[in-house]
Amino acid sequence: MSKKSLVLNIVFHNPYIRHLDGTDISKNSILFSSISDIYLPILNMFADLECEGIPFKLNMVISPVLCTMLADPVIQQQYIEWQEKIVALGESEVAKYEENDPRHSLAVKYLKQAKQNLKDFQETFNQDILSKIKYYVNRGNVELMATAATYSFLPHYVDMPEAVQAQIETGIQVHKSFFGIVPEGFWLPYMGYVPGLENIIRPYGFNYSIVGTHTLLFADPMPKAGIFSPVRCDNSLVMFGCDYEKNADFKKTGVYRNQENDIGFEAEKEYLSGLFGDTGSRFKTGYRYVSNDNSAYDGNAALLQAESDASLFIKEKSEKLNKASELMDGEDASLVCSFDASCFGGSWYEGVEWLSQVLRKSSESDDLELATCSELIAGQYSLPRISPFPGASVGTGYGECLLDSSNSWMIRYVRKACERMIDLAERFSDDTGLKARSLNLASKEVLLSMEGDWPMMMHDGDMPEYARDRFKESVAAFSTVYDSLGSNCISTEWLTKMEKKHPLFDVMNYHVFSRRK
């Protein structure tokens, strides 16, 4: 009997936003909301499955930028202070509504959850979310994939291999520093692929990656099994095709909670400023009372719907795998479904419950079994060879939204910075002391300027002013170092200030931009 395998892959990433100024809370709240709504609930869901003895396994990507922020003591303390304010807001919400008002019981529920999040972060996880993820990696429940240091869209730099290598090498170093391993798989940010990337990725020992559907289906030659079996490039880097269906479209169902109708956007500013200060900006608080169909939110009905949708998901994937295996003359079939972590608690409040039910029902299914990518590449060197087609998971499938009229001005600056950083690494190949510190800072700022979040935020209109300013700051910081090295005059005061402002990538070494001999 043929084997049908389902791989669930979850991508955890947040843009690098770090502010010490408490008045900039609206920007910090992006990460804080992710911790409360996504990361803590997913880990608690894993713990529940473990306690009940339910086997589960999945692939996960945790970007180096996110790892750095989650391990930052300053951000950890900011989160605690933020969550204390969310608790205080909840107490105000509970007092605001009469007991017979449906919003009162919801406010009580949300307040309880806010208090639990605070307790979990401080006591259960000891402010160390990454260690808990490592625990599930060591148990074999989670298979991690490495990714680019600053989640850069690598096709933009494929003609500059040193820049891509800098992203990969720094990402590996950061990943190893937190998890103690170098993964078998490499996640292409935004699933961005162009021919030639495999030749840069494979030498680092990676055995597989995941690409979009059309990257495989338009390959030369087209894989006979389509996306239902892995294939390999000429250098034997295995490629898995990602299921083309929008697997999280369940979240649009009317009974689910409306994630946009938050009191952070609806309440009077005076009401919020009493707790959060006058930030001048709106932000998510987690207190939401309306469903997608604009009726009062019914949590019990939403959870029942999540269980139903999980059953439907398993049924659809089972049928698809069975049909694929039949067309493949009874051979083993596999299917990879990838999700952004925001689907589970962020853009979809009931997403964590849905995922929990999917994992539970998969363990009971006779038609399919959960697997990780590395378990499906035992015959790596006998897989069919193909030349993948360019593609991405954003835009219309080619990443054009990362280089359009809203953000195309960025690319000339970041590419020039990359060219100059490669030149600096060549000219100052064995420097130490102050020059090495300056070069390390310069390389860090170049990597930050390559971050894919900046052009994406410009395209989406999501804090575009911040994205523009943050990008310009990194380019300007690099240019300052570049000019200072040319004049042999470096300000130690400025250098120390910048190092403290962006204390990420402790393992940063400017030699990652060196040309390979």
Side-chain angles (χ1 to χ4, degrees):
M1 185 176 178
S2 62
K3 185 177 179 182
K4 291 91 174 178
S5 303
L6 177 65
V7 178
L8 302 177
N9 180 60
I10 305 178
V11 182
F12 292 74
H13 171 68
N14 282 78
Y16 182 71
I17 299 176
R18 180 183 188 270
H19 292 277
L20 302 182
D21 183 2
T23 62
D24 224 351
I25 203 165
S26 61
K27 298 178 178 63
N28 291 328
S29 67
I30 295 174
L31 175 61
F32 299 159
S33 295
S34 295
I35 294 173
S36 294
D37 299 341
I38 304 170
Y39 307 147
L40 293 179
I42 285 179
L43 288 176
N44 284 327
M45 182 265 288
F46 286 172
D48 290 341
L49 295 175
E50 180 187 0
C51 289
E52 296 174 39
I54 297 175
F56 67 95
K57 59 178 67 174
L58 42 76
N59 271 55
M60 282 175 56
V61 181
I62 307 176
S63 72
V65 162
L66 178 58
C67 287
T68 302
M69 291 192 294
L70 290 177
D72 188 331
V74 173
I75 290 179
Q76 291 172 354
Q77 184 57 40
Q78 285 182 328
Y79 172 74
I80 292 171
E81 294 170 0
W82 161 266
Q83 196 62 22
E84 288 172 345
K85 293 177 180 179
I86 294 295
V87 169
L89 177 61
E91 291 170 344
S92 297
E93 285 292 289
V94 170
K96 185 167 66 173
Y97 300 113
E98 298 290 339
E99 288 192 10
N100 59 352
D101 189 325
R103 290 172 293 183
H104 180 270
S105 59
L106 287 174
V108 170
K109 175 186 174 182
Y110 298 154
L111 173 59
K112 181 179 178 181
Q113 185 59 58
K115 289 179 177 179
Q116 187 63 47
N117 283 338
L118 189 59
K119 181 180 178 181
D120 286 342
F121 186 75
Q122 291 182 288
E123 300 177 18
T124 307
F125 302 122
N126 196 28
Q127 303 182 30
D128 190 357
I129 290 175
L130 297 178
S131 288
K132 194 60 178 179
I133 294 174
K134 185 178 179 180
Y135 168 78
Y136 287 110
V137 172
N138 293 337
R139 285 189 83 249
N141 299 116
V142 171
E143 176 172 296
L144 291 176
M145 296 178 68
T147 191
T150 58
Y151 216 71
S152 173
F153 189 65
L154 300 182
H156 286 169
Y157 310 97
V158 69
D159 61 325
M160 306 171 70
E162 295 83 6
V164 178
Q165 288 162 349
Q167 284 282 348
I168 295 174
E169 284 190 28
T170 304
I172 291 173
Q173 292 166 1
V174 173
H175 189 99
K176 191 173 182 179
S177 70
F178 286 113
F179 301 108
I181 57 171
V182 176
E184 279 198 63
F186 183 83
W187 173 258
L188 294 161
Y190 307 104
M191 279 197 275
Y193 172 81
V194 291
L197 274 179
E198 69 275 14
N199 296 323
I200 306 176
I201 295 169
R202 178 67 170 146
Y204 289 99
F206 294 115
N207 288 318
Y208 71 86
S209 187
I210 299 173
V211 293
T213 305
H214 61 284
T215 298
L216 284 198
L217 296 186
F218 293 166
D220 183 24
M222 186 181 77
K224 292 183 179 180
I227 64 172
F228 294 98
S229 182
V231 292
R232 60 175 173 147
C233 302
D234 286 337
N235 64 359
S236 291
L237 179 71
V238 176
M239 293 291 195
F240 288 89
C242 192
D243 189 11
Y244 64 89
E245 291 183 340
K246 299 295 185 182
N247 294 302
D249 273 359
F250 295 116
K251 64 186 179 183
K252 299 176 182 177
T253 304
V255 71
Y256 288 141
R257 193 176 78 168
N258 187 325
Q259 292 295 82
E260 301 303 318
N261 197 313
D262 188 297
I263 67 165
F265 304 104
E266 303 292 333
E268 295 292 333
K269 283 191 174 183
E270 292 76 12
Y271 175 67
L272 297 173
S273 63
L275 295 170
F276 296 93
D278 188 10
T279 66
S281 302
R282 295 287 190 171
F283 47 85
K284 296 179 180 179
T285 66
Y287 291 91
R288 300 159 183 150
Y289 305 103
V290 179
S291 61
N292 284 330
D293 60 8
N294 291 322
S295 62
Y297 177 64
D298 184 342
N300 292 328
L303 291 180
L304 289 174
Q305 184 66 45
E307 183 176 0
S308 174
D309 286 340
S311 297
L312 179 61
F313 175 83
I314 295 297
K315 180 176 181 290
E316 290 177 345
K317 300 311 172 188
S318 296
E319 292 175 350
K320 186 179 288 190
L321 284 166
N322 285 328
K323 183 64 174 178
S325 180
E326 180 183 329
L327 295 173
M328 294 161 61
D329 298 323
E331 293 183 10
D332 292 347
S334 60
L335 189 61
V336 176
C337 298
S338 188
F339 304 86
D340 189 279
S342 64
C343 291
F344 307 116
S347 59
W348 185 12
Y349 178 60
E350 299 80 7
V352 176
E353 177 62 23
W354 177 88
L355 179 60
S356 174
Q357 292 297 328
V358 166
L359 295 175
R360 291 170 187 273
K361 295 177 186 300
S362 298
S363 69
E364 302 168 354
S365 174
D366 295 325
D367 294 327
L368 58 76
E369 64 179 32
L370 292 180
T372 59
C373 287
S374 64
E375 294 175 338
L376 303 178
I377 60 172
Q380 177 177 1
Y381 298 101
S382 61
L383 294 173
R385 291 181 184 270
I386 54 107
S387 297
F389 193 76
S393 61
V394 291
T396 59
Y398 299 96
E400 68 277 9
C401 58
L402 294 166
L403 190 64
D404 62 11
S405 59
S406 69
N407 52 39
S408 60
W409 60 272
M410 292 177 162
I411 195 68
R412 62 180 180 271
Y413 293 104
V414 66
R415 283 180 60 87
K416 176 58 70 174
C418 287
E419 290 174 5
R420 289 180 170 179
M421 190 64 233
I422 295 167
D423 179 59
L424 288 177
E426 187 86 6
R427 285 166 50 199
F428 301 93
S429 58
D430 57 358
D431 276 86
T432 58
L434 195 60
K435 279 189 178 179
R437 280 177 59 193
S438 300
L439 289 162
N440 287 339
L441 174 69
S443 57
K444 182 193 304 183
E445 295 296 341
V446 171
L447 292 177
L448 284 171
S449 70
M450 295 170 71
E451 186 167 347
D453 296 290
W454 313 140
M456 183 61 78
M457 290 164 71
M458 294 290 294
H459 171 81
D460 292 342
D462 181 14
M463 299 197 305
E465 296 84 5
Y466 176 84
R468 182 183 61 247
D469 294 344
R470 185 63 196 80
F471 173 81
K472 287 182 176 180
E473 181 185 42
S474 285
V475 173
F478 166 78
S479 299
T480 299
V481 174
Y482 185 79
D483 294 340
S484 298
L485 290 171
S487 61
N488 200 29
C489 179
I490 301 172
S491 169
T492 55
E493 181 182 356
W494 175 85
L495 180 60
T496 302
K497 176 184 176 182
M498 290 303 296
E499 288 173 335
K500 289 182 178 180
K501 186 172 185 179
H502 303 303
L504 77 167
F505 305 160
D506 292 339
V507 295
M508 191 74 246
N509 188 320
Y510 71 92
H511 291 104
V512 295
F513 278 96
S514 298
R515 293 187 177 91
R516 304 308 187 260
K517 305 298 182 185

